[in-house]
Amino acid sequence: MNIAAIPSPTESVWHVLGLPIRAYALCIIVGIVVATLLMEQRLRHRGVEPWTSLDLVVWAVPFGIIGARIYHLITSPQEYFGSGGEPMDAFKIWEGGLGIWGAVAGGALGAWIAARQIGLPLTVFADALAPALPVAQAIGRIGNWFNNELYGKVTTLPWGLEVHDMDQANPGRAAVIDGEPVTLPDLYHPTFAYEAIWNLGVAAMVWLLDRKFKFGRGRAFALYVMGYTAGRLWIEMLRVDEANSFFGVRINVFVSILVFLGAAVYFFVVKGAREYVVPIDAPETAPEPSDLAASDLSQVDVGAAATDTSRKMPIAYQVVSRERFEEYHRTGILPPAEKAGTVSAAVGDTAETSSSDES
């Protein structure tokens, strides 16, 4: 036995009070939670109200799961609709089979619906999500390890993966002979692990470059897409699981190339600084002294209004420059666009480092 080999779990499903708890589903849920928290932090730094991310996730996640499943069914239909296939298995997403590009397309549709309801530009959401999504994908890939799936070709490398022969009659458990779990005869490339590590690298790259260059208008998300597809291209070529092919090449390889090119064109053609938002009805002038006296608010700090957590959620947002955004959050008053440069000089270096160099 190769002591350097990576072992695989013999179980991916546990029953608690008669209910099946699936490792694959748990990994997806944990990934969604982590990505939401990361996105939430980035949205707040752009001026979005606290926990607006939950409103976006409520729409994006269900649409993303549906889209991921549809993509899988389109690209691998024979398992469900071919000879000997079982059409009803198409609904068993807990058994695996989710395509990332369907998830991105479906999630984008759900996010667009949510963004329209919130009054938030979709590009603000996309750029906030850009480094968080590959982290969620990396966590989700751990579920493939539990399922003993998405491994690659036979390898003699020290980190070769042991793969169990999973029992089709007892889903979620390895086949057993004489009390011992059955493993396949060779060691294999752990392609799910390659992708998880690559995704974490993509997340770090997007975060660092966005911190330095402050991308806007969806360019940070386009950078994520380019990074992910570049890795998916070579990882896909190592995989040996069944998949439809075109001219002997897996369809996902062609998809990765096309999506990479589309994202690259968008990234280099579309220009624009990072987008900051304020409520669409943000006050542009301070209240008249007579109005303050009449409402018994003459002792209230106007600047505190911008950080008052009890205020109502905005009905919509407007995109403003960084200078106007910083001044609004400093004073509670949104300066006119033509005076933004003057205001920025008054704010000074402190505002620049505290507001623009966030995660």
Side-chain angles (χ1 to χ4, degrees), residues 242-300:
E242 291 186 8
N244 288 334
S245 60
F246 188 65
F247 291 114
V249 179
R250 295 165 70 97
I251 287 179
N252 280 335
V253 171
F254 291 106
V255 174
S256 294
I257 294 172
L258 292 175
V259 174
F260 176 90
L261 293 175
V265 169
Y266 185 93
F267 181 82
F268 290 107
V269 170
V270 175
K271 303 297 181 182
R274 176 178 295 168
E275 296 164 297
Y276 297 91
V277 297
V278 299
I280 198 168
D281 56 354
E284 297 184 354
T285 58
E288 295 293 334
S290 58
D291 295 336
L292 290 174
S295 59
D296 196 27
L297 293 176
S298 58
Q299 302 302 316
V300 175

Short mmCIF file of all heavy atoms in Angstrom, two decimals, residues 242-300:
data_model
loop_
_atom_site.label_atom_id
_atom_site.label_comp_id
_atom_site.label_asym_id
_atom_site.label_seq_id
_atom_site.Cartn_x
_atom_site.Cartn_y
_atom_site.Cartn_z
N GLU A 242 -17.76 9.99 -16.78
CA GLU A 242 -18.48 10.03 -18.05
C GLU A 242 -18.97 11.45 -18.35
O GLU A 242 -19.50 12.13 -17.49
CB GLU A 242 -19.67 9.07 -18.03
CG GLU A 242 -19.26 7.60 -18.02
CD GLU A 242 -20.46 6.68 -18.14
OE1 GLU A 242 -21.57 7.20 -18.38
OE2 GLU A 242 -20.29 5.45 -18.00
N ALA A 243 -18.78 11.85 -19.58
CA ALA A 243 -19.24 13.17 -20.03
C ALA A 243 -19.32 13.16 -21.54
O ALA A 243 -18.54 12.46 -22.21
CB ALA A 243 -18.31 14.28 -19.55
N ASN A 244 -20.24 13.91 -22.07
CA ASN A 244 -20.34 14.01 -23.52
C ASN A 244 -19.14 14.75 -24.08
O ASN A 244 -18.56 15.63 -23.42
CB ASN A 244 -21.63 14.73 -23.92
CG ASN A 244 -22.86 13.88 -23.66
OD1 ASN A 244 -22.78 12.65 -23.64
ND2 ASN A 244 -24.00 14.50 -23.43
N SER A 245 -18.75 14.38 -25.29
CA SER A 245 -17.58 14.98 -25.91
C SER A 245 -17.89 15.42 -27.33
O SER A 245 -18.89 15.01 -27.93
CB SER A 245 -16.40 14.00 -25.90
OG SER A 245 -16.73 12.82 -26.63
N PHE A 246 -17.01 16.25 -27.85
CA PHE A 246 -17.14 16.76 -29.22
C PHE A 246 -15.76 16.65 -29.85
O PHE A 246 -14.80 17.25 -29.35
CB PHE A 246 -17.64 18.21 -29.18
CG PHE A 246 -18.00 18.76 -30.53
CD1 PHE A 246 -19.05 18.24 -31.26
CD2 PHE A 246 -17.28 19.82 -31.06
CE1 PHE A 246 -19.39 18.76 -32.49
CE2 PHE A 246 -17.61 20.35 -32.30
CZ PHE A 246 -18.67 19.82 -33.02
N PHE A 247 -15.66 15.85 -30.93
CA PHE A 247 -14.37 15.57 -31.56
C PHE A 247 -13.38 14.98 -30.54
O PHE A 247 -12.18 15.31 -30.55
CB PHE A 247 -13.77 16.82 -32.20
CG PHE A 247 -14.52 17.29 -33.41
CD1 PHE A 247 -15.19 18.52 -33.40
CD2 PHE A 247 -14.58 16.52 -34.57
CE1 PHE A 247 -15.88 18.95 -34.52
CE2 PHE A 247 -15.26 16.95 -35.69
CZ PHE A 247 -15.93 18.17 -35.66
N GLY A 248 -13.90 14.15 -29.64
CA GLY A 248 -13.04 13.50 -28.67
C GLY A 248 -12.65 14.36 -27.48
O GLY A 248 -11.88 13.92 -26.63
N VAL A 249 -13.16 15.57 -27.41
CA VAL A 249 -12.83 16.49 -26.31
C VAL A 249 -14.09 16.76 -25.51
O VAL A 249 -15.17 16.98 -26.09
CB VAL A 249 -12.25 17.82 -26.86
CG1 VAL A 249 -11.93 18.77 -25.71
CG2 VAL A 249 -11.01 17.55 -27.70
N ARG A 250 -13.97 16.72 -24.20
CA ARG A 250 -15.13 16.94 -23.34
C ARG A 250 -15.76 18.30 -23.62
O ARG A 250 -15.06 19.31 -23.81
CB ARG A 250 -14.71 16.85 -21.86
CG ARG A 250 -14.23 15.46 -21.46
CD ARG A 250 -13.50 15.50 -20.14
NE ARG A 250 -14.39 15.78 -19.02
CZ ARG A 250 -14.92 14.84 -18.24
NH1 ARG A 250 -14.65 13.55 -18.47
NH2 ARG A 250 -15.69 15.16 -17.23
N ILE A 251 -17.11 18.34 -23.61
CA ILE A 251 -17.83 19.57 -23.93
C ILE A 251 -17.44 20.70 -23.00
O ILE A 251 -17.33 21.86 -23.40
CB ILE A 251 -19.35 19.31 -23.89
CG1 ILE A 251 -19.78 18.48 -25.12
CG2 ILE A 251 -20.12 20.63 -23.85
CD1 ILE A 251 -21.24 18.16 -25.17
N ASN A 252 -17.20 20.36 -21.72
CA ASN A 252 -16.86 21.42 -20.76
C ASN A 252 -15.55 22.11 -21.09
O ASN A 252 -15.32 23.24 -20.65
CB ASN A 252 -16.80 20.84 -19.34
CG ASN A 252 -18.19 20.69 -18.74
OD1 ASN A 252 -19.12 21.39 -19.11
ND2 ASN A 252 -18.32 19.77 -17.80
N VAL A 253 -14.67 21.44 -21.83
CA VAL A 253 -13.44 22.09 -22.26
C VAL A 253 -13.76 23.22 -23.24
O VAL A 253 -13.24 24.34 -23.11
CB VAL A 253 -12.48 21.07 -22.91
CG1 VAL A 253 -11.29 21.78 -23.56
CG2 VAL A 253 -12.01 20.06 -21.88
N PHE A 254 -14.63 22.94 -24.21
CA PHE A 254 -15.03 23.97 -25.16
C PHE A 254 -15.78 25.10 -24.45
O PHE A 254 -15.56 26.29 -24.74
CB PHE A 254 -15.92 23.37 -26.25
CG PHE A 254 -15.20 22.44 -27.17
CD1 PHE A 254 -15.39 21.07 -27.09
CD2 PHE A 254 -14.34 22.92 -28.15
CE1 PHE A 254 -14.73 20.19 -27.93
CE2 PHE A 254 -13.67 22.06 -29.01
CZ PHE A 254 -13.86 20.70 -28.90
N VAL A 255 -16.64 24.74 -23.51
CA VAL A 255 -17.39 25.76 -22.77
C VAL A 255 -16.42 26.66 -22.01
O VAL A 255 -16.57 27.89 -21.98
CB VAL A 255 -18.40 25.10 -21.82
CG1 VAL A 255 -19.06 26.16 -20.94
CG2 VAL A 255 -19.46 24.35 -22.61
N SER A 256 -15.42 26.06 -21.37
CA SER A 256 -14.45 26.85 -20.61
C SER A 256 -13.71 27.84 -21.50
O SER A 256 -13.49 28.99 -21.12
CB SER A 256 -13.44 25.92 -19.91
OG SER A 256 -14.08 25.12 -18.94
N ILE A 257 -13.33 27.39 -22.70
CA ILE A 257 -12.62 28.28 -23.62
C ILE A 257 -13.51 29.45 -24.03
O ILE A 257 -13.10 30.62 -24.02
CB ILE A 257 -12.15 27.49 -24.85
CG1 ILE A 257 -11.08 26.47 -24.45
CG2 ILE A 257 -11.60 28.44 -25.92
CD1 ILE A 257 -10.67 25.52 -25.56
N LEU A 258 -14.75 29.13 -24.42
CA LEU A 258 -15.67 30.19 -24.87
C LEU A 258 -15.98 31.17 -23.76
O LEU A 258 -16.00 32.40 -23.98
CB LEU A 258 -16.95 29.55 -25.41
CG LEU A 258 -16.82 28.75 -26.71
CD1 LEU A 258 -18.15 28.07 -27.06
CD2 LEU A 258 -16.36 29.64 -27.85
N VAL A 259 -16.23 30.66 -22.56
CA VAL A 259 -16.56 31.55 -21.44
C VAL A 259 -15.35 32.40 -21.07
O VAL A 259 -15.49 33.59 -20.76
CB VAL A 259 -17.05 30.73 -20.23
CG1 VAL A 259 -17.25 31.64 -19.03
CG2 VAL A 259 -18.36 30.03 -20.57
N PHE A 260 -14.16 31.81 -21.11
CA PHE A 260 -12.94 32.58 -20.83
C PHE A 260 -12.81 33.75 -21.82
O PHE A 260 -12.53 34.89 -21.41
CB PHE A 260 -11.71 31.69 -20.91
CG PHE A 260 -10.41 32.44 -20.73
CD1 PHE A 260 -9.87 32.60 -19.47
CD2 PHE A 260 -9.74 32.98 -21.82
CE1 PHE A 260 -8.67 33.29 -19.29
CE2 PHE A 260 -8.56 33.68 -21.66
CZ PHE A 260 -8.02 33.83 -20.39
N LEU A 261 -12.99 33.46 -23.10
CA LEU A 261 -12.85 34.51 -24.12
C LEU A 261 -13.90 35.60 -23.92
O LEU A 261 -13.59 36.80 -24.02
CB LEU A 261 -12.98 33.90 -25.51
CG LEU A 261 -11.84 32.96 -25.93
CD1 LEU A 261 -12.14 32.32 -27.28
CD2 LEU A 261 -10.50 33.69 -25.96
N GLY A 262 -15.14 35.21 -23.60
CA GLY A 262 -16.18 36.20 -23.37
C GLY A 262 -15.86 37.09 -22.18
O GLY A 262 -16.03 38.32 -22.23
N ALA A 263 -15.38 36.48 -21.08
CA ALA A 263 -15.04 37.25 -19.89
C ALA A 263 -13.85 38.17 -20.17
O ALA A 263 -13.81 39.31 -19.68
CB ALA A 263 -14.72 36.31 -18.73
N ALA A 264 -12.88 37.69 -20.95
CA ALA A 264 -11.70 38.49 -21.26
C ALA A 264 -12.09 39.72 -22.08
O ALA A 264 -11.61 40.84 -21.82
CB ALA A 264 -10.66 37.66 -22.00
N VAL A 265 -12.96 39.52 -23.08
CA VAL A 265 -13.42 40.65 -23.89
C VAL A 265 -14.13 41.67 -23.00
O VAL A 265 -13.87 42.88 -23.09
CB VAL A 265 -14.36 40.17 -25.01
CG1 VAL A 265 -15.04 41.36 -25.69
CG2 VAL A 265 -13.58 39.35 -26.04
N TYR A 266 -14.99 41.19 -22.12
CA TYR A 266 -15.71 42.11 -21.22
C TYR A 266 -14.72 42.86 -20.33
O TYR A 266 -14.82 44.08 -20.16
CB TYR A 266 -16.69 41.33 -20.35
CG TYR A 266 -17.55 42.21 -19.47
CD1 TYR A 266 -18.80 42.63 -19.90
CD2 TYR A 266 -17.11 42.63 -18.23
CE1 TYR A 266 -19.59 43.45 -19.11
CE2 TYR A 266 -17.88 43.46 -17.42
CZ TYR A 266 -19.13 43.85 -17.87
OH TYR A 266 -19.89 44.69 -17.09
N PHE A 267 -13.77 42.14 -19.76
CA PHE A 267 -12.83 42.76 -18.81
C PHE A 267 -12.02 43.87 -19.47
O PHE A 267 -11.79 44.92 -18.86
CB PHE A 267 -11.89 41.69 -18.25
CG PHE A 267 -10.91 42.21 -17.25
CD1 PHE A 267 -11.26 42.38 -15.92
CD2 PHE A 267 -9.61 42.52 -17.64
CE1 PHE A 267 -10.35 42.86 -15.00
CE2 PHE A 267 -8.68 43.00 -16.72
CZ PHE A 267 -9.06 43.18 -15.39
N PHE A 268 -11.57 43.64 -20.70
CA PHE A 268 -10.69 44.62 -21.35
C PHE A 268 -11.45 45.70 -22.10
O PHE A 268 -10.88 46.77 -22.38
CB PHE A 268 -9.72 43.90 -22.29
CG PHE A 268 -8.67 43.10 -21.56
CD1 PHE A 268 -8.73 41.71 -21.56
CD2 PHE A 268 -7.66 43.72 -20.86
CE1 PHE A 268 -7.78 40.96 -20.88
CE2 PHE A 268 -6.70 42.98 -20.18
CZ PHE A 268 -6.76 41.59 -20.17
N VAL A 269 -12.71 45.46 -22.44
CA VAL A 269 -13.48 46.46 -23.18
C VAL A 269 -14.23 47.40 -22.22
O VAL A 269 -14.24 48.62 -22.40
CB VAL A 269 -14.47 45.78 -24.14
CG1 VAL A 269 -15.44 46.81 -24.73
CG2 VAL A 269 -13.72 45.07 -25.25
N VAL A 270 -14.84 46.82 -21.21
CA VAL A 270 -15.62 47.63 -20.27
C VAL A 270 -14.68 48.33 -19.29
O VAL A 270 -13.78 47.70 -18.73
CB VAL A 270 -16.63 46.75 -19.49
CG1 VAL A 270 -17.34 47.56 -18.42
CG2 VAL A 270 -17.63 46.14 -20.46
N LYS A 271 -14.88 49.61 -19.12
CA LYS A 271 -14.06 50.38 -18.19
C LYS A 271 -14.95 51.02 -17.13
O LYS A 271 -16.15 51.19 -17.33
CB LYS A 271 -13.28 51.48 -18.94
CG LYS A 271 -12.39 50.95 -20.07
CD LYS A 271 -11.29 50.04 -19.54
CE LYS A 271 -10.40 49.54 -20.67
NZ LYS A 271 -9.34 48.62 -20.19
N GLY A 272 -14.34 51.39 -16.04
CA GLY A 272 -15.11 52.07 -15.00
C GLY A 272 -14.54 51.79 -13.63
O GLY A 272 -14.06 50.69 -13.35
N ALA A 273 -14.59 52.81 -12.78
CA ALA A 273 -14.08 52.68 -11.42
C ALA A 273 -15.07 51.91 -10.56
O ALA A 273 -16.23 51.68 -10.95
CB ALA A 273 -13.84 54.07 -10.83
N ARG A 274 -14.62 51.52 -9.38
CA ARG A 274 -15.48 50.81 -8.44
C ARG A 274 -16.74 51.62 -8.18
O ARG A 274 -16.70 52.85 -8.04
CB ARG A 274 -14.74 50.57 -7.13
CG ARG A 274 -15.58 49.92 -6.06
CD ARG A 274 -14.78 49.66 -4.80
NE ARG A 274 -13.74 48.68 -5.07
CZ ARG A 274 -12.75 48.42 -4.22
NH1 ARG A 274 -12.64 49.10 -3.10
NH2 ARG A 274 -11.85 47.50 -4.52
N GLU A 275 -17.86 50.93 -8.11
CA GLU A 275 -19.15 51.58 -7.91
C GLU A 275 -19.51 51.62 -6.42
O GLU A 275 -19.49 50.59 -5.75
CB GLU A 275 -20.24 50.84 -8.69
CG GLU A 275 -20.02 50.88 -10.20
CD GLU A 275 -20.85 49.84 -10.92
OE1 GLU A 275 -20.63 48.65 -10.68
OE2 GLU A 275 -21.71 50.24 -11.73
N TYR A 276 -19.83 52.81 -5.95
CA TYR A 276 -20.33 52.99 -4.59
C TYR A 276 -21.77 53.46 -4.69
O TYR A 276 -22.16 54.16 -5.64
CB TYR A 276 -19.49 54.03 -3.84
CG TYR A 276 -18.05 53.61 -3.65
CD1 TYR A 276 -17.08 53.96 -4.60
CD2 TYR A 276 -17.66 52.88 -2.54
CE1 TYR A 276 -15.76 53.59 -4.43
CE2 TYR A 276 -16.33 52.50 -2.36
CZ TYR A 276 -15.39 52.86 -3.31
OH TYR A 276 -14.08 52.48 -3.14
N VAL A 277 -22.58 53.11 -3.72
CA VAL A 277 -24.00 53.46 -3.78
C VAL A 277 -24.43 54.15 -2.48
O VAL A 277 -23.87 53.90 -1.41
CB VAL A 277 -24.88 52.22 -4.02
CG1 VAL A 277 -24.57 51.60 -5.37
CG2 VAL A 277 -24.72 51.19 -2.91
N VAL A 278 -25.42 55.00 -2.64
CA VAL A 278 -26.09 55.64 -1.51
C VAL A 278 -27.59 55.56 -1.80
O VAL A 278 -28.00 55.32 -2.94
CB VAL A 278 -25.65 57.11 -1.35
CG1 VAL A 278 -24.15 57.21 -1.08
CG2 VAL A 278 -26.01 57.93 -2.59
N PRO A 279 -28.43 55.76 -0.78
CA PRO A 279 -29.87 55.74 -1.05
C PRO A 279 -30.26 56.74 -2.11
O PRO A 279 -29.68 57.83 -2.21
CB PRO A 279 -30.47 56.12 0.32
CG PRO A 279 -29.45 55.67 1.31
CD PRO A 279 -28.12 55.92 0.65
N ILE A 280 -31.21 56.37 -2.92
CA ILE A 280 -31.60 57.25 -4.03
C ILE A 280 -32.17 58.57 -3.54
O ILE A 280 -32.14 59.58 -4.24
CB ILE A 280 -32.62 56.52 -4.95
CG1 ILE A 280 -32.69 57.22 -6.31
CG2 ILE A 280 -33.98 56.40 -4.28
CD1 ILE A 280 -33.42 56.43 -7.36
N ASP A 281 -32.69 58.57 -2.30
CA ASP A 281 -33.24 59.80 -1.73
C ASP A 281 -32.30 60.42 -0.71
O ASP A 281 -32.73 61.14 0.19
CB ASP A 281 -34.59 59.52 -1.08
CG ASP A 281 -34.52 58.42 -0.02
OD1 ASP A 281 -33.43 57.81 0.12
OD2 ASP A 281 -35.54 58.17 0.64
N ALA A 282 -31.00 60.16 -0.83
CA ALA A 282 -30.03 60.74 0.10
C ALA A 282 -30.12 62.26 0.06
O ALA A 282 -30.16 62.86 -1.02
CB ALA A 282 -28.62 60.28 -0.26
N PRO A 283 -30.18 62.93 1.23
CA PRO A 283 -30.32 64.39 1.25
C PRO A 283 -29.10 65.08 0.66
O PRO A 283 -27.96 64.68 0.93
CB PRO A 283 -30.48 64.70 2.74
CG PRO A 283 -29.84 63.56 3.44
CD PRO A 283 -30.10 62.36 2.59
N GLU A 284 -29.34 66.09 -0.17
CA GLU A 284 -28.25 66.83 -0.78
C GLU A 284 -28.02 68.18 -0.12
O GLU A 284 -27.08 68.89 -0.46
CB GLU A 284 -28.53 67.02 -2.27
CG GLU A 284 -28.59 65.69 -3.03
CD GLU A 284 -28.78 65.87 -4.52
OE1 GLU A 284 -28.98 67.04 -4.95
OE2 GLU A 284 -28.72 64.87 -5.25
N THR A 285 -28.90 68.53 0.81
CA THR A 285 -28.72 69.76 1.57
C THR A 285 -29.07 69.50 3.03
O THR A 285 -29.85 68.60 3.34
CB THR A 285 -29.63 70.88 1.05
OG1 THR A 285 -31.00 70.45 1.11
CG2 THR A 285 -29.28 71.24 -0.40
N ALA A 286 -28.48 70.29 3.92
CA ALA A 286 -28.78 70.16 5.34
C ALA A 286 -30.14 70.79 5.63
O ALA A 286 -30.56 71.73 4.95
CB ALA A 286 -27.70 70.84 6.17
N PRO A 287 -30.86 70.29 6.63
CA PRO A 287 -32.15 70.89 6.99
C PRO A 287 -31.98 72.33 7.42
O PRO A 287 -30.96 72.72 8.00
CB PRO A 287 -32.62 70.01 8.16
CG PRO A 287 -31.85 68.74 8.03
CD PRO A 287 -30.53 69.12 7.45
N GLU A 288 -32.99 73.16 7.10
CA GLU A 288 -32.98 74.54 7.54
C GLU A 288 -33.07 74.61 9.07
O GLU A 288 -33.72 73.77 9.69
CB GLU A 288 -34.17 75.30 6.93
CG GLU A 288 -34.10 75.43 5.42
CD GLU A 288 -32.95 76.31 4.98
OE1 GLU A 288 -32.54 77.19 5.79
OE2 GLU A 288 -32.44 76.11 3.86
N PRO A 289 -32.41 75.59 9.69
CA PRO A 289 -32.46 75.71 11.15
C PRO A 289 -33.88 75.75 11.71
O PRO A 289 -34.18 75.18 12.74
CB PRO A 289 -31.71 77.01 11.42
CG PRO A 289 -30.77 77.15 10.26
CD PRO A 289 -31.52 76.60 9.09
N SER A 290 -34.78 76.43 10.97
CA SER A 290 -36.16 76.52 11.45
C SER A 290 -36.83 75.15 11.46
O SER A 290 -37.62 74.84 12.36
CB SER A 290 -36.96 77.48 10.56
OG SER A 290 -36.91 77.04 9.21
N ASP A 291 -36.49 74.33 10.48
CA ASP A 291 -37.07 72.99 10.43
C ASP A 291 -36.55 72.13 11.56
O ASP A 291 -37.29 71.35 12.17
CB ASP A 291 -36.74 72.32 9.09
CG ASP A 291 -37.39 73.05 7.92
OD1 ASP A 291 -38.40 73.73 8.16
OD2 ASP A 291 -36.86 72.91 6.80
N LEU A 292 -35.25 72.29 11.88
CA LEU A 292 -34.70 71.52 12.98
C LEU A 292 -35.32 71.91 14.29
O LEU A 292 -35.63 71.06 15.14
CB LEU A 292 -33.18 71.72 13.04
CG LEU A 292 -32.36 71.08 11.90
CD1 LEU A 292 -30.91 71.48 12.03
CD2 LEU A 292 -32.52 69.58 11.94
N ALA A 293 -35.52 73.24 14.50
CA ALA A 293 -36.11 73.68 15.76
C ALA A 293 -37.54 73.20 15.89
O ALA A 293 -37.98 72.79 16.97
CB ALA A 293 -36.06 75.21 15.84
N ALA A 294 -38.26 73.23 14.79
CA ALA A 294 -39.66 72.82 14.83
C ALA A 294 -39.80 71.35 15.16
O ALA A 294 -40.76 70.92 15.80
CB ALA A 294 -40.34 73.13 13.49
N SER A 295 -38.83 70.55 14.75
CA SER A 295 -38.92 69.12 14.98
C SER A 295 -38.12 68.68 16.20
O SER A 295 -37.98 67.49 16.45
CB SER A 295 -38.44 68.35 13.75
OG SER A 295 -37.10 68.70 13.48
N ASP A 296 -37.55 69.70 16.94
CA ASP A 296 -36.80 69.42 18.16
C ASP A 296 -35.62 68.49 17.88
O ASP A 296 -35.31 67.62 18.68
CB ASP A 296 -37.70 68.79 19.23
CG ASP A 296 -37.07 68.86 20.62
OD1 ASP A 296 -36.25 69.78 20.84
OD2 ASP A 296 -37.38 67.98 21.45
N LEU A 297 -34.96 68.76 16.73
CA LEU A 297 -33.81 67.94 16.37
C LEU A 297 -32.54 68.78 16.26
O LEU A 297 -31.58 68.37 15.64
CB LEU A 297 -34.06 67.25 15.02
CG LEU A 297 -35.17 66.20 15.00
CD1 LEU A 297 -35.34 65.69 13.57
CD2 LEU A 297 -34.86 65.04 15.93
N SER A 298 -32.56 69.98 16.86
CA SER A 298 -31.44 70.89 16.70
C SER A 298 -30.15 70.38 17.31
O SER A 298 -29.07 70.80 16.94
CB SER A 298 -31.78 72.26 17.30
OG SER A 298 -32.10 72.10 18.69
N GLN A 299 -30.26 69.42 18.25
CA GLN A 299 -29.06 68.90 18.90
C GLN A 299 -28.58 67.59 18.28
O GLN A 299 -27.66 66.98 18.78
CB GLN A 299 -29.34 68.68 20.40
CG GLN A 299 -29.80 69.93 21.13
CD GLN A 299 -28.76 71.05 21.02
OE1 GLN A 299 -27.57 70.80 21.16
NE2 GLN A 299 -29.22 72.26 20.75
N VAL A 300 -29.24 67.15 17.22
CA VAL A 300 -28.88 65.87 16.60
C VAL A 300 -27.69 66.06 15.67
O VAL A 300 -27.63 67.01 14.90
CB VAL A 300 -30.08 65.30 15.82
CG1 VAL A 300 -29.66 64.03 15.08
CG2 VAL A 300 -31.23 65.01 16.76
#
